[in-house]
Amino acid sequence: MHRVIQWSGGIGSWATAELVVREHPDDEVTLLFADVLIEDSDLYLFNADASERLGIPITRVCDGRPPFELFMDRRFLGNARIAPCSRALKQLPCRRWLGDHLDPASTVLYVGLEPSELRRVPGIVDGWKPWSVEFPLLHHTSVTKDDLLDWCRASGLTPPRLYRLGFSHNNCGGLCVRGGQAHWHRTLREFPDRFQWYEQQEQRFRAEHGNVAILKRQHCGRTSPLPLQQLRAEAGMAGVHPGALVDEGDFARYMRVLGLGERPRDRRRRLAVAR
């Protein structure tokens, strides 16, 4: 049996990989990682560290577009209710790789849902058919995220820094469009340059497609868009000085300035891991 971990660079997928390797030491295991290109650079460092510890290389797939490029192509702005990036940039590249390399009859997928995410199971199981999916962490009902982070540290690994900064998930460098207002307030405090980058992209999208926004606000039973620019203004936060940013046309350099994307040294370490 071939066992495929849906590897996100988060603590749940790491813990899932550890459990699967322990339970099935003789089976082939793949760490399947869909790169959306704007992950925090520390996530890629964690990928390299964890991959070395497990002795299993990261199998990277990538659509080639960051989320906002997808939103512009689709003319639809991702938000907490509907995020096309999850399917287009993660699920579809992974599904293509699975279809090209493995047989559903002899493959099990593993997703690192934590006990607090039980409600997501039916949708994930249905969405990955004909592949079978298992959720090892759900068998440990008393385990919390703090427990997983402690386990990670006890294993000799440094957990991804977004957890230390108070983010509940280690994805999209704190720029996940599924996050609510509290999430984006945290991004504004911890990464004001990243926040402004997304604010600028959202403003460009609004200029072309009208009064839409990543966030929504409810007041007196009515829902209205809440642009990031407005959220920042209401928080009393000034924008990042333009000199702190660079020309977005050089995407790789822009990512380095914002602390996003895989650094060359982490890429070399990732590629050096062999079975």
Side-chain angles (χ1 to χ4, degrees):
M1 188 66 68
H2 196 119
R3 305 186 185 277
V4 178
I5 313 299
Q6 297 282 33
W7 183 271
S8 67
I11 199 67
S13 64
W14 169 79
T16 296
E18 289 279 351
L19 292 173
V20 170
V21 169
R22 289 184 184 186
E23 187 173 350
H24 306 283
D26 298 324
D27 289 354
E28 187 167 2
V29 176
T30 293
L31 308 178
L32 185 57
F33 172 62
D35 191 354
V36 300
L37 301 174
I38 63 162
E39 301 290 2
D40 188 78
S41 292
D42 190 69
L43 178 147
Y44 300 94
L45 171 62
F46 180 73
N47 279 1
D49 289 343
S51 175
E52 286 178 350
R53 170 183 158 75
L54 290 163
I56 303 172
I58 298 284
T59 298
R60 176 184 178 271
V61 295
C62 184
D63 172 87
R65 294 173 292 178
F68 245 100
E69 184 176 339
L70 171 71
F71 300 156
M72 295 300 289
D73 289 347
R74 296 279 184 90
R75 301 184 178 183
F76 183 88
L77 184 58
N79 55 75
R81 184 170 170 269
I82 303 175
C85 40
S86 294
R87 177 166 176 76
L89 304 185
K90 293 188 174 184
Q91 295 170 14
L92 290 181
C94 287
R95 186 176 281 277
R96 283 193 290 269
W97 185 90
L98 289 166
D100 289 343
H101 295 87
L102 299 174
D103 180 353
S106 58
T107 304
V108 180
L109 309 186
Y110 293 87
V111 176
L113 290 190
E114 298 167 36
S116 62
E117 301 175 294
L118 186 61
R119 68 190 184 282
R120 296 179 56 196
V121 168
I124 292 174
V125 170
D126 187 61
W128 280 104
K129 290 178 179 176
W131 309 90
S132 63
V133 187
E134 295 185 9
F135 308 87
L137 291 178
L138 298 186
H139 300 300
H140 303 267
T141 56
S142 63
V143 169
T144 66
K145 191 180 297 292
D146 285 341
D147 292 330
L148 299 180
L149 293 169
D150 287 343
W151 178 20
C152 182
R153 284 185 283 266
S155 300
L157 295 173
T158 300
R161 68 169 174 167
L162 259 61
Y163 296 118
R164 302 195 297 275
L165 296 175
F167 290 91
S168 59
H169 298 285
N170 184 38
N171 62 333
C172 292
L175 298 170
C176 179
V177 296
R178 288 190 178 276
Q181 292 184 40
H183 169 91
W184 282 96
H185 275 293
R186 187 176 300 279
T187 302
L188 177 59
R189 291 194 306 272
E190 301 294 345
F191 302 110
D193 50 356
R194 297 181 190 181
F195 185 98
Q196 181 162 321
W197 177 48
Y198 253 45
E199 176 189 322
Q200 292 170 338
Q201 292 193 90
E202 184 185 62
Q203 288 300 107
R204 292 189 192 115
F205 191 96
R206 287 165 55 80
E208 292 188 26
H209 302 292
N211 186 26
V212 294
I214 293 170
L215 295 172
K216 300 283 191 295
R217 165 174 286 165
Q218 290 190 342
H219 181 68
C220 297
R222 300 184 63 181
T223 301
S224 59
L226 175 60
L228 295 177
Q229 184 179 72
Q230 183 177 342
L231 185 77
R232 176 173 56 80
E234 292 177 358
M237 297 279 286
V240 177
H241 188 276
L245 301 177
V246 297
D247 181 6
E248 195 174 340
D250 185 347
F251 183 78
R253 185 180 173 212
Y254 204 74
M255 292 300 95
R256 288 196 298 274
V257 169
L258 295 177
L260 300 171
E262 188 175 35
R263 293 168 292 204
R265 65 178 179 271
D266 295 326
R267 180 177 184 273
R268 288 193 294 269
R269 288 181 59 212
R270 170 174 62 82
L271 295 176
V273 177
R275 292 189 182 276

